[in-house]
Amino acid sequence: MRSARPSLVLLTLGMLGVVLLSALGIWQIERRTWKLALIERVEQRMHAAPAAPPPPSSWPTVTVASDEYRRVTLRGTFLNADETLVQAVTTDGPGFWVLTPLQMADGTTVLVNCGFVPPDRRDPATRRDGVAQGVVSVTGLLRMSEPKGGFLRNNDPAAGRWYSRDVAAIAALHGLSQVAPFFIDADATPNPGGYPVGGLTIVRFPNNHLIYALTWFALAFMLAGALLRVISGRGRAGASDPRWGSRRAAVRRLIGAARNLSRDTGPDARAHIGSA
């Protein structure tokens, strides 16, 4: 009777493991369905005809899910004296994003990422032709603010070091009011003189859910097979058979592997979306 108790506990844990692994596989299939729908929705937004940006009355309800990557067109005057450079790494190499406030006719302001400049063009004097004057029209993609800085780097407004496009912090630095809680990534329309270079937005959605699902299902299948072998082996040879102990050890190893994998492949974070 003493040997039967730990065997029953082990079998119970094994069956619970099969259920848990199968549930994780199903959950990853559901996540994959959600991710594919998200990708399709963003693709539709990016290729739709440009519309007006959200008005101030709707700013509190602008979200990533409902608005990011909408294609918009806005008109206004650039406040070039309040230009801000944000460090960037792009397909054109390292350099800076040029963020300039665009003041519109109603008095509101929207930050515009005019595009990328290499380090030797960070000074506006080296790209005078690309500094727009007067009323202009800008078309681009609506992007959400990036507060608190970049990866392992905090913005330092006082020193002029920016690692993310934090709309509120940039607006506060320049004393701007009535500023939209989002910014616009300008499209690839060429600027005079060639700089800044717009249209470098990269949209990237990690979509490994099918691989995760297959992994969970494979582990569930292996664990179920090991349990069946243990049960059938015990029925033939009895709990005292040396093979019984080795099979119990195999089940323990599978359960341990499943626990380790659950820590490594936890819930998928928000899709990495951004300008490289």
Side-chain angles (χ1 to χ4, degrees), residues 257-269:
R259 288 173 179 168
N260 291 334
L261 186 61
S262 68
R263 289 193 293 265
D264 294 339
T265 60
D268 195 28

Side-chain angles (χ1 to χ4, degrees), residues 155-221:
N155 293 325
D156 186 353
R161 288 194 290 267
W162 296 91
Y163 305 102
S164 72
R165 291 158 293 192
D166 186 336
V167 171
I170 292 173
L173 176 68
H174 296 293
L176 302 174
S177 59
Q178 293 184 282
V179 180
F182 50 83
F183 64 94
I184 304 299
D185 268 350
D187 64 13
T189 301
N191 286 304
Y195 293 102
V197 180
L200 296 181
T201 306
I202 293 177
V203 182
R204 183 166 50 238
F205 295 91
N207 188 13
N208 300 317
H209 301 294
L210 182 59
I211 295 175
Y212 291 160
L214 292 175
T215 301
W216 291 126
F217 287 138
L219 285 172
F221 180 79

